[in-house]
Amino acid sequence: MHARTKALETLLVRLNSRFGERISTDPDELAKVSGDESGLPKGNPGAVVWPMATAEVALVAQEAQELGVGLVPRGAGTGKAGESIPLGGELVVDLSRMNKILELRPQDLYAVVQPGLITAELDKAAKEHGFMYPPDPASWESCSIGGNINTNAGGPRAVKYGVTQRYVWGLEVVLAGGKVLRTGRRSIKGVAGYDVTSFIVGSEGTLGLVTEATLHIIPAAPVVETAWLSFADPVTASRASEHIFAAGITPRMLELLDTTAMDVVRPKSAFRLPPAGAAILIECDGRDEGVMRDLERVCEIALARGATESAIAQNDRDREGMRRARRLVSGSLKEAYPYKISDDVAVPRSKMPDLLTRAQELGAPAGIKVAAYGHLGDGNVHINLLCKTADERELAKPVRQEVLRLAVSLGGTVTGEHGIGIAKRSELGFEQSRELIELQKRMKLAFDPGGIINPGKALPV
Amino acid sequence: MHARTKALETLLVRLNSRFGERISTDPDELAKVSGDESGLPKGNPGAVVWPMATAEVALVAQEAQELGVGLVPRGAGTGKAGESIPLGGELVVDLSRMNKILELRPQDLYAVVQPGLITAELDKAAKEHGFMYPPDPASWESCSIGGNINTNAGGPRAVKYGVTQRYVWGLEVVLAGGKVLRTGRRSIKGVAGYDVTSFIVGSEGTLGLVTEATLHIIPAAPVVETAWLSFADPVTASRASEHIFAAGITPRMLELLDTTAMDVVRPKSAFRLPPAGAAILIECDGRDEGVMRDLERVCEIALARGATESAIAQNDRDREGMRRARRLVSGSLKEAYPYKISDDVAVPRSKMPDLLTRAQELGAPAGIKVAAYGHLGDGNVHINLLCKTADERELAKPVRQEVLRLAVSLGGTVTGEHGIGIAKRSELGFEQSRELIELQKRMKLAFDPGGIINPGKALPV
């Protein structure tokens, strides 16, 4: 069932001569652009278009505005909160064919790219010049830069390098109505006017369609060392990690796996995960042998603070094995618990033991098993409510609400990295005042008074 | 002459019982809150109030909104673009008495502070725990955090650590009408809703009155090493600095002084500046002896790329002497050329030689001598048009316009760190489209529909 209004039909007629085979209402094509990786049901788009240039996106936005047809920008569809799920009858603007690196200027610390570029491709291109593009969401080999910008994506390296916003210097954005806006700068610094660029980052595609980005790249640290630390339980692991930071060491990755996460990964992992109640995967990077000294110090601190075992990767094969074990967690948990609910709450680091302990307690009365893994170093751990059936999932839903409220009560947030999308529109109010939400609605109107750009996302309806 | 409307008189009557001696129309008091460090003429406020708490700021904002009286937020008055200069008849809200550190939580990487806190005080408090607050504008021993937030202040350390926005996690802001808004988070990560916090940073006090800030602090690098590099001319210095960065070294400071800057500083400096056509003050920091190795490598590269001399500070006294020589530049130039015009343009790093050369060429026909100093590593050099008389200053004004246009034509900005204020309202259009400026005006209205908060700043009138 695909909703097509008269307005959409008219839009399709108007766009047909320009786009030809690059616009479609074919149900099979629509099925491919209706969902994401949130586990939410697929949406119900009216049509899909694949522009190849900014001028084409502008044409779409102009005609859609005139006819009042909603537009849903789409990249690789790897979102975790439903940002790119159409609510009904919209035209999906699939930007995956605008995927080029337009400029790469290591000497000036920036690259200019199109939104459909796969994130890891930029990092790879930068690497050839001794540079890196730090944001590395788990999906970085399949997700696109446009999606990263719209969700302000993080990743394991964020603990040292921060998240996407820090790396966005300027944007080209097509507004509702088709005007093409250029924001920001290509110099390292710049404070002319309001920071519209930073405001668009993380706005979930609701303010305009990003068609180009000027992204900051930085010199890559040539030396990386990796270790695997085993603990009796996640709380001990969390406390030990506080001591690592207190020693002045900022690792470039500090990831937690609890015993459930390790159990589901173990059968698939080349790296043999030591039996333990919890593990930390930790990496340090830098320019010289000081890196290994830091990592050895990390292991000493961990062992003094309750670690039962430490293993340092001896070569790149070891390192990749450890990293892969971490990357396998999400998919393996999903296979074992197909109806699981995963949330990406974040709390101040020192509150992590409280979060871990109390999340377990919240699950217990409903008989819901709770797993935790992810970005421990950032206080951003994925709390998973493990459900094997749809019935269990129903039981878990109120538990999820309590976990989100718990995170807020600990000084944290309902979403550390995935965003609001359509998944947490009602829960934004757990964290933000009515006044703040109303202000954001007024700001949305400043960009899109007709409400045609990604309608229904990011804010309560 | 101080403008006082009927509306202001009514406001004063209403606020009198609450503020008593903390509200004033005394001309001597008004004179103290009428100007900044931009060199622009003082403004013409109607009154000044010194709140001690958020609730008092809210009361002021509520009454002012009802009566339509403009409010000018003010910190330490060290702005460089007129952000805190009243245009006529406003009530200045001097926040310098709200100057406390409310919380300091190194384990959670944040501090909560009031806007009147002097910037260096936060760095000092963090240092006691082995932490730092990186933004270090030249005025950091006298400027306040609220002003830093409103201008998104940078400083020499920005070349490694970035500018203020990176360190602002959350804000408490009093809106026009008196509503108190809390934005942002106290967790390291968080993407709930639009990033209103980052948008307020750098908005020059035009969106609301910042009454509290949650600021990110980071572990301090325990080892700092400093060197002074001499060159034949600024262009050679600039090219050599590109080679330093290309070697993968990110210094924590890379500052330029040209020969004019050195000449005015030399009589006052304990550090004996070697005679040269240009100099670079450079610092590296880190956790161990790798820092000195980096700095020695910096000197090698510089000497291979045209430096005539390098000197490494042997102790903290040397280091402080070099730093002080840099800090003396602005004031000493001002003494020698009281009518000088200083601009803070920024360009992509590789365009710096073009900027330096062509700025000289632009000054020549009018007989205006041009000096350059500042944040070379960020491509953000202060181009100074040196004027000894008011007449010379008139001759220099069109040259200044050309310098700003030049920066934009090189891919840069009319303001790298000081902001638009009232100094560059007409010049914002050199860099930004009408569409972008109109969008910003709509965003301002979303916060302040009556236009009472810092009227006339940041955007073209």
Side-chain angles (χ1 to χ4, degrees):
Chain A
M1 204 274 298
H2 294 287
R4 275 212 290 285
T5 59
K6 182 89 178 72
L8 180 67
E9 295 291 356
T10 310
L11 180 62
L12 294 175
V13 171
R14 290 197 193 172
L15 295 179
N16 190 54
S17 66
R18 175 68 175 249
F19 290 96
E21 293 187 348
R22 290 188 290 114
I23 190 162
S24 176
T25 55
D26 180 283
D28 292 340
E29 293 296 344
L30 294 188
K32 291 182 204 158
V33 298
S34 306
D36 66 0
E37 293 179 5
S38 62
L40 293 164
K42 286 193 173 190
N44 189 17
V48 54
V49 64
W50 293 272
M52 303 287 287
T54 299
E56 291 190 344
V57 178
L59 175 67
V60 170
Q62 184 195 329
E63 299 285 3
Q65 167 96 326
E66 272 182 37
L67 294 163
V69 174
L71 299 177
V72 178
R74 183 179 181 86
T78 59
K80 293 279 203 180
E83 288 90 345
S84 58
I85 296 180
L87 299 187
E90 300 100 321
L91 174 61
V92 173
V93 184
D94 184 331
L95 296 155
S96 58
R97 298 188 191 181
M98 292 175 64
N99 61 356
K100 291 189 183 53
I101 297 176
L102 303 173
E103 277 189 74
L104 186 65
R105 297 186 59 81
Q107 68 274 47
D108 289 324
L109 303 181
Y110 72 78
V112 182
V113 307
Q114 291 184 311
L117 181 71
I118 301 301
T119 306
E121 294 295 317
L122 175 57
D123 190 61
K124 205 194 294 176
K127 199 171 185 177
E128 286 173 24
H129 302 265
F131 277 66
M132 69 192 287
Y133 176 69
D136 62 338
S139 56
W140 77 322
E141 292 184 312
S142 57
C143 67
S144 68
I145 288 288
N148 289 184
I149 290 168
N150 279 320
T151 56
N152 194 11
R157 296 199 295 218
V159 67
K160 176 165 180 177
Y161 293 105
V163 298
T164 299
Q165 193 187 55
R166 188 190 295 182
Y167 300 93
V168 184
W169 281 2
L171 294 170
E172 181 187 80
V173 186
V174 174
L175 298 183
K179 287 251 172 65
V180 180
L181 201 69
R182 294 197 74 95
T183 73
R185 60 191 209 275
R186 292 187 179 186
S187 48
I188 299 172
K189 291 166 73 177
V191 293
Y194 299 147
D195 192 348
V196 176
T197 308
S198 292
F199 186 69
I200 292 172
V201 176
S203 65
E204 305 189 350
T206 61
L207 303 178
L209 298 118
V210 172
T211 46
E212 190 186 293
T214 302
L215 300 177
H216 182 33
I217 55 175
I218 64 172
V223 181
V224 181
E225 300 291 352
T226 308
W228 189 275
L229 309 169
S230 301
F231 295 88
D233 57 78
V235 168
T236 308
S238 178
R239 295 221 170 97
S241 78
E242 283 195 68
H243 288 282
I244 292 167
F245 288 112
I249 297 169
T250 299
R252 83 144 172 191
M253 183 188 293
L254 196 159
E255 296 284 307
L256 173 75
L257 292 84
D258 73 359
T259 189
T260 310
M262 285 191 280
D263 286 347
V264 293
V265 159
R266 204 169 269 117
K268 305 176 184 175
S269 172
F271 169 65
R272 295 175 60 156
L273 291 79
I280 285 177
L281 170 63
I282 191 164
E283 293 197 339
C284 293
D285 70 6
R287 303 191 60 248
D288 55 28
E289 72 287 351
V291 177
M292 183 53 96
R293 247 192 344 255
D294 275 356
L295 194 70
E296 285 168 350
R297 179 96 186 92
V298 160
C299 293
E300 280 168 32
I301 294 169
L303 291 167
R305 298 291 176 173
T308 53
E309 198 178 332
S310 72
I312 292 182
Q314 297 302 306
N315 50 49
D316 282 344
R317 202 174 56 93
D318 284 6
R319 185 182 344 280
E320 257 316 303
M322 291 177 181
R323 288 175 179 170
R324 186 162 171 272
R326 162 65 185 89
R327 284 199 298 267
L328 284 170
V329 174
S330 178
S332 306
L333 270 179
K334 187 80 183 170
E335 281 171 32
Y337 302 94
Y339 291 88
K340 82 180 175 85
I341 299 176
S342 175
D343 270 305
D344 63 316
V345 294
V347 296
R349 249 184 218 162
S350 69
K351 301 298 168 66
M352 188 50 71
D354 289 347
L355 176 70
L356 293 167
T357 306
R358 290 169 62 187
Q360 294 288 349
E361 291 167 4
L362 290 171
I368 302 295
K369 195 171 162 186
V370 178
Y373 68 92
H375 317 310
L376 180 65
D378 274 328
N380 176 210
V381 158
H382 300 296
I383 301 290
N384 277 240
L385 307 178
L386 302 176
C387 308
K388 295 203 172 190
T389 66
D391 285 353
E392 275 185 6
R393 190 179 169 99
E394 286 308 307
L395 287 173
K397 281 182 179 172
V399 177
R400 172 186 180 243
Q401 300 294 91
E402 291 311 305
V403 170
L404 299 180
R405 286 189 194 278
L406 168 63
V408 172
S409 75
L410 292 171
T413 174
V414 298
T415 176
E417 57 176 15
H418 295 158
I420 298 297
I422 54 176
K424 291 182 183 165
R425 288 178 297 184
S426 308
E427 290 76 7
L428 186 61
F430 293 2
E431 180 176 340
Q432 296 189 347
S433 66
R434 179 191 301 258
E435 177 65 27
L436 179 54
I437 292 170
E438 291 305 317
L439 172 66
Q440 292 174 76
K441 288 184 175 180
R442 295 195 299 275
M443 295 177 82
K444 157 81 175 172
L445 289 177
F447 282 82
D448 177 22
I452 70 152
I453 306 292
N454 211 7
K457 311 294 164 58
L459 295 172
V461 188
Chain B
M1 205 272 299
H2 294 287
R4 274 211 292 287
T5 59
K6 182 90 177 75
L8 180 68
E9 295 291 356
T10 309
L11 179 63
L12 294 174
V13 171
R14 290 196 193 174
L15 295 179
N16 192 53
S17 64
R18 174 70 175 247
F19 290 96
E21 292 189 348
R22 291 188 290 113
I23 191 163
S24 175
T25 56
D26 180 284
D28 291 343
E29 294 295 344
L30 294 187
K32 291 181 205 160
V33 298
S34 306
D36 68 0
E37 292 179 6
S38 62
L40 293 163
K42 287 193 172 190
N44 188 16
V48 54
V49 63
W50 293 273
M52 303 286 287
T54 300
E56 290 190 344
V57 178
L59 175 67
V60 170
Q62 184 194 328
E63 299 285 3
Q65 168 95 325
E66 272 182 38
L67 295 163
V69 174
L71 299 177
V72 179
R74 184 179 180 85
T78 58
K80 293 279 202 179
E83 288 91 343
S84 58
I85 296 180
L87 298 189
E90 301 100 321
L91 174 60
V92 174
V93 184
D94 184 331
L95 296 156
S96 58
R97 297 188 191 182
M98 293 175 64
N99 62 357
K100 292 190 183 52
I101 297 176
L102 302 174
E103 278 189 75
L104 187 64
R105 297 186 58 81
Q107 68 273 48
D108 289 325
L109 304 181
Y110 72 79
V112 182
V113 308
Q114 292 184 310
L117 180 70
I118 300 301
T119 306
E121 294 295 317
L122 175 56
D123 190 60
K124 206 194 293 175
K127 200 171 186 180
E128 286 174 24
H129 301 266
F131 278 66
M132 69 192 285
Y133 176 69
D136 61 338
S139 56
W140 75 324
E141 292 185 312
S142 58
C143 68
S144 66
I145 288 288
N148 288 184
I149 291 168
N150 279 322
T151 55
N152 194 12
R157 297 199 293 216
V159 66
K160 177 167 181 178
Y161 292 105
V163 299
T164 299
Q165 192 187 55
R166 188 191 292 182
Y167 299 93
V168 184
W169 282 2
L171 294 171
E172 182 187 79
V173 185
V174 173
L175 298 183
K179 287 251 172 66
V180 180
L181 201 69
R182 293 197 75 94
T183 73
R185 59 191 210 276
R186 292 187 179 184
S187 48
I188 300 171
K189 290 166 73 177
V191 293
Y194 298 148
D195 193 348
V196 176
T197 308
S198 292
F199 186 70
I200 292 171
V201 176
S203 64
E204 304 188 353
T206 61
L207 303 178
L209 298 119
V210 171
T211 48
E212 190 186 295
T214 302
L215 300 178
H216 183 30
I217 55 175
I218 65 172
V223 181
V224 181
E225 301 291 353
T226 309
W228 188 275
L229 308 170
S230 302
F231 295 88
D233 58 78
V235 168
T236 308
S238 178
R239 296 221 169 96
S241 78
E242 283 195 68
H243 288 282
I244 292 167
F245 287 111
I249 298 170
T250 300
R252 82 146 173 192
M253 184 188 293
L254 196 160
E255 297 284 307
L256 173 75
L257 291 84
D258 73 0
T259 191
T260 310
M262 286 192 280
D263 286 346
V264 293
V265 159
R266 203 169 270 115
K268 305 177 185 178
S269 172
F271 168 66
R272 296 176 59 158
L273 291 80
I280 286 177
L281 170 64
I282 191 164
E283 293 197 339
C284 294
D285 70 4
R287 304 192 58 248
D288 55 29
E289 72 287 351
V291 177
M292 183 53 96
R293 248 193 344 254
D294 274 357
L295 194 69
E296 284 167 353
R297 180 94 186 93
V298 160
C299 294
E300 280 169 33
I301 294 168
L303 291 168
R305 298 292 176 173
T308 53
E309 197 178 336
S310 72
I312 291 182
Q314 297 302 306
N315 50 48
D316 282 343
R317 202 175 56 91
D318 283 6
R319 186 182 342 282
E320 255 319 301
M322 291 176 181
R323 288 176 180 170
R324 185 163 172 273
R326 164 65 185 89
R327 284 198 299 266
L328 284 169
V329 174
S330 177
S332 306
L333 270 179
K334 186 81 184 169
E335 281 172 32
Y337 302 93
Y339 291 88
K340 82 181 174 83
I341 299 176
S342 175
D343 270 304
D344 63 316
V345 293
V347 295
R349 248 184 218 161
S350 69
K351 300 297 168 67
M352 188 51 71
D354 288 347
L355 176 71
L356 292 167
T357 307
R358 290 168 60 186
Q360 295 287 352
E361 292 167 4
L362 290 170
I368 302 295
K369 194 171 163 187
V370 178
Y373 69 93
H375 317 311
L376 180 64
D378 274 329
N380 176 210
V381 158
H382 299 296
I383 300 290
N384 277 241
L385 307 178
L386 302 176
C387 308
K388 295 204 171 189
T389 66
D391 285 352
E392 275 185 5
R393 190 180 170 98
E394 286 309 308
L395 287 175
K397 280 179 180 174
V399 178
R400 171 186 181 244
Q401 300 294 91
E402 291 310 306
V403 170
L404 299 181
R405 287 189 193 276
L406 168 63
V408 172
S409 76
L410 293 170
T413 174
V414 298
T415 175
E417 56 177 15
H418 294 160
I420 298 297
I422 53 178
K424 291 182 185 167
R425 288 179 296 184
S426 308
E427 291 77 5
L428 185 60
F430 293 2
E431 181 175 340
Q432 297 188 346
S433 66
R434 177 191 301 257
E435 177 65 24
L436 178 55
I437 291 170
E438 291 303 318
L439 171 67
Q440 293 174 76
K441 289 186 174 178
R442 296 195 298 274
M443 295 179 81
K444 157 82 175 172
L445 289 177
F447 282 82
D448 176 23
I452 71 152
I453 306 291
N454 211 7
K457 313 292 164 60
L459 295 172
V461 187

